[in-house]
Amino acid sequence: MKAGTRETAAELTGFTVGVTAARRREELTALLRRRGARVVEAPALRIVPLEDDAALRAATERCLAAPLDYVVATTGVGWRGWMSAAEGWGYGAALTAACQEAAVLSRGPKATGAVRACGTTETYSPASEAVDELRTWLLARDLRGRRVAVQEHGAPLPGLAAALRERGAEVVEVPVYRWAPPQDPEPVRRLAEATARGEVHALLFTSAPAITSFLEHAEAAGRYDSVLERLRTDVLALCVGAVCARPLLEVGAEPVWPGRGRLGAMVHLLTATLPGRNRYLVPAGDRTLVLQGNALLLGGEDDAASEAVWLTPGSARVLRALAERPGWVVGRPELLRRVWPGQGADEHAVEAAVTRLRVALGPYAGLVRTVPKRGYRLATEAPARREGGAR
């Protein structure tokens, strides 16, 4: 969204959201844009199907070599891909029969739907959709001499397989598809750069490997520490579920995730969470302007049809810094530290950002006053209010 653009405000107007998903990216992006967000698309991974892969065929033949006692379905797309590949090799009926005679565990509704679609009924499916619960359920059984097939979801599940083998089970790992680096790494690198510069308000992740890939791209760009600091402070990391969130938790970030691992639930949680973290009410005479992300809502907080003006990220951060201390002078050195940390900017950047801010404010340009030789202040005696608490 070009700075200075005016539009009718929506729930996520003013916010820039990075989307790292490969599958269903278009659907997720459409949901966000419909709510007014600016979306940066940067698939951190790509899915490589293994229909013709020797490893998948060999695993399928191992499954059919003797009766299976348990079968674990971890994803709907993976299960359907496995059944489709087996059909192509002439193993479809035999594999379906083997699964029907075993106890099938499905990780969540999507996997359950795929299992049922091929005529099989699941024995157990955890409400949390977590692999850990599948493991707990299995480990409560006597697994000595039992055969367990585990359909992987893009990456091996060594923790699950190792735990089952320790209890005496024979485990057949079924690699239906695998994650691979994106064909074009530039969008991910640019997203990491934008995150490090503070130009992104939220990052959405739909798989743990995508988080790992994003952080690896940040490291390759020399931005790992800056990105990690943003994730630990002012960038909201939103994951599809608890399993997805683990790589962020391991590096000290505090991601959030919905109770149900659905794209709609993710967007609902983002809409409910993000504005409260980055929304300031700025008194302007008899009106109250709203600074939401990088947009200024000119109609105020109670106007559902408020007009929104997009600011540059620098101008928005300058206004936010002034709004946090209305009436107080904020010096140029402090603005440089807060708005452009570690970016080698000079005082000209401050002056340019203030100029652009005043243009965007239009009739309210007088709110930003220059204090000669000292800095700038927000010309209001009433305190600006931040909605929601600090992170």
Side-chain angles (χ1 to χ4, degrees), residues 328-330 332 358 369-377:
W328 289 75
V329 177
V330 182
R332 291 180 179 84
R358 285 173 173 155
R369 301 284 179 83
T370 300
V371 180
K373 298 183 180 181
R374 294 182 60 194
Y376 304 92
R377 70 181 181 89

Side-chain angles (χ1 to χ4, degrees), residues 317-318 321-322 325 328-340 346-347 350-351 354 369-378:
R317 290 196 296 270
V318 166
L322 299 178
R325 296 166 59 187
W328 289 75
V329 177
V330 182
R332 291 180 179 84
E334 181 178 348
L335 288 173
L336 281 171
R337 287 194 302 271
R338 295 189 56 182
V339 178
W340 298 275
D346 56 23
E347 293 191 0
V350 179
E351 295 166 2
V354 169
R369 301 284 179 83
T370 300
V371 180
K373 298 183 180 181
R374 294 182 60 194
Y376 304 92
R377 70 181 181 89
L378 197 64

Side-chain angles (χ1 to χ4, degrees), residues 12 17-25 27-29 31-32 35 37 110 129 202-208 210-211 236-242 244-245 248 255-275:
L12 295 177
V17 181
V19 172
T20 62
R23 288 186 60 248
R24 303 180 68 188
R25 183 177 75 256
E27 179 184 349
L28 180 54
T29 297
L31 289 171
L32 294 169
R35 288 160 175 77
K110 291 183 182 178
E129 305 180 30
L203 291 170
L204 270 56
F205 299 100
T206 57
S207 72
I211 295 173
L236 175 65
L238 178 58
C239 300
V240 73
C244 171
L248 289 174
V256 298
W257 56 87
R260 298 179 71 247
R262 302 289 179 273
L263 297 188
M266 288 183 71
V267 174
H268 179 77
L269 179 59
L270 180 72
T271 303
T273 305
L274 190 55

Side-chain angles (χ1 to χ4, degrees), residues 47-96:
I47 294 176
V48 181
L50 300 182
E51 285 88 348
D52 298 323
D53 191 274
L56 175 58
R57 184 164 185 164
T60 303
E61 291 173 348
R62 279 189 63 198
C63 288
L64 298 177
L68 293 170
D69 296 290
Y70 301 98
V71 180
V72 179
T74 58
T75 63
V77 65
W79 183 271
R80 289 190 295 270
W82 186 20
M83 296 298 120
S84 175
E87 187 71 29
W89 297 323
Y91 299 153
L95 182 59
T96 297

Side-chain angles (χ1 to χ4, degrees), residues 30-354:
L31 289 171
L32 294 169
R33 286 179 174 151
R34 196 176 303 151
R35 288 160 175 77
R38 174 178 178 252
V39 181
V40 180
E41 298 180 58
L45 295 169
R46 59 189 170 96
I47 294 176
V48 181
L50 300 182
E51 285 88 348
D52 298 323
D53 191 274
L56 175 58
R57 184 164 185 164
T60 303
E61 291 173 348
R62 279 189 63 198
C63 288
L64 298 177
L68 293 170
D69 296 290
Y70 301 98
V71 180
V72 179
T74 58
T75 63
V77 65
W79 183 271
R80 289 190 295 270
W82 186 20
M83 296 298 120
S84 175
E87 187 71 29
W89 297 323
Y91 299 153
L95 182 59
T96 297
C99 293
Q100 290 172 339
E101 293 170 5
V104 177
L105 284 65
S106 57
R107 188 184 67 90
K110 291 183 182 178
T112 298
V115 166
R116 292 178 181 178
C118 70
T120 304
T121 302
E122 77 285 356
T123 300
Y124 172 69
S125 181
S128 67
E129 305 180 30
V131 173
D132 286 351
E133 288 204 31
L134 296 176
R135 177 173 54 195
T136 298
W137 191 93
L138 283 166
L139 293 181
R141 274 79 188 160
D142 182 2
L143 297 178
R144 289 173 295 181
R146 302 297 184 180
R147 301 186 78 237
V148 185
V150 178
Q151 173 245 310
E152 298 173 348
H153 56 91
L157 297 168
L160 174 60
L164 300 179
R165 289 186 176 115
E166 286 178 3
R167 295 297 183 89
E170 177 189 347
V171 181
V172 182
E173 295 163 283
V174 183
V176 181
Y177 59 87
R178 65 173 180 267
W179 299 116
Q183 290 180 325
D184 182 5
E186 275 304 295
V188 190
R189 185 194 62 78
R190 289 195 297 267
L191 179 58
E193 294 274 2
T195 302
R197 292 193 299 266
E199 297 174 2
V200 174
H201 300 97
L203 291 170
L204 270 56
F205 299 100
T206 57
S207 72
I211 295 173
T212 302
S213 176
F214 174 73
L215 294 177
E216 287 174 349
H217 280 82
E219 186 171 18
R223 293 290 197 167
Y224 180 84
D225 290 338
S226 299
V227 166
L228 202 55
E229 179 62 22
R230 293 289 185 184
L231 285 167
R232 289 170 175 168
T233 54
D234 55 352
V235 172
L236 175 65
L238 178 58
C239 300
V240 73
V243 174
C244 171
R246 283 180 178 171
L248 289 174
L249 294 170
E250 289 171 357
V251 295
E254 297 180 6
V256 298
W257 56 87
R260 298 179 71 247
R262 302 289 179 273
L263 297 188
M266 288 183 71
V267 174
H268 179 77
L269 179 59
L270 180 72
T271 303
T273 305
L274 190 55
R277 294 163 46 98
N278 207 321
R279 203 167 190 257
Y280 289 84
L281 309 181
V282 183
D286 59 348
R287 306 191 70 178
T288 300
L289 307 181
V290 178
L291 175 63
Q292 177 171 288
N294 288 345
L296 194 64
L297 311 188
L298 302 180
E301 55 182 316
D302 299 320
D303 186 350
S306 175
E307 185 180 29
V309 178
W310 279 79
L311 310 175
T312 64
S315 294
R317 290 196 296 270
V318 166
L319 181 56
R320 189 174 305 117
L322 299 178
E324 289 175 352
R325 296 166 59 187
W328 289 75
V329 177
V330 182
R332 291 180 179 84
E334 181 178 348
L335 288 173
L336 281 171
R337 287 194 302 271
R338 295 189 56 182
V339 178
W340 298 275
Q343 297 181 36
D346 56 23
E347 293 191 0
H348 175 71
V350 179
E351 295 166 2
V354 169

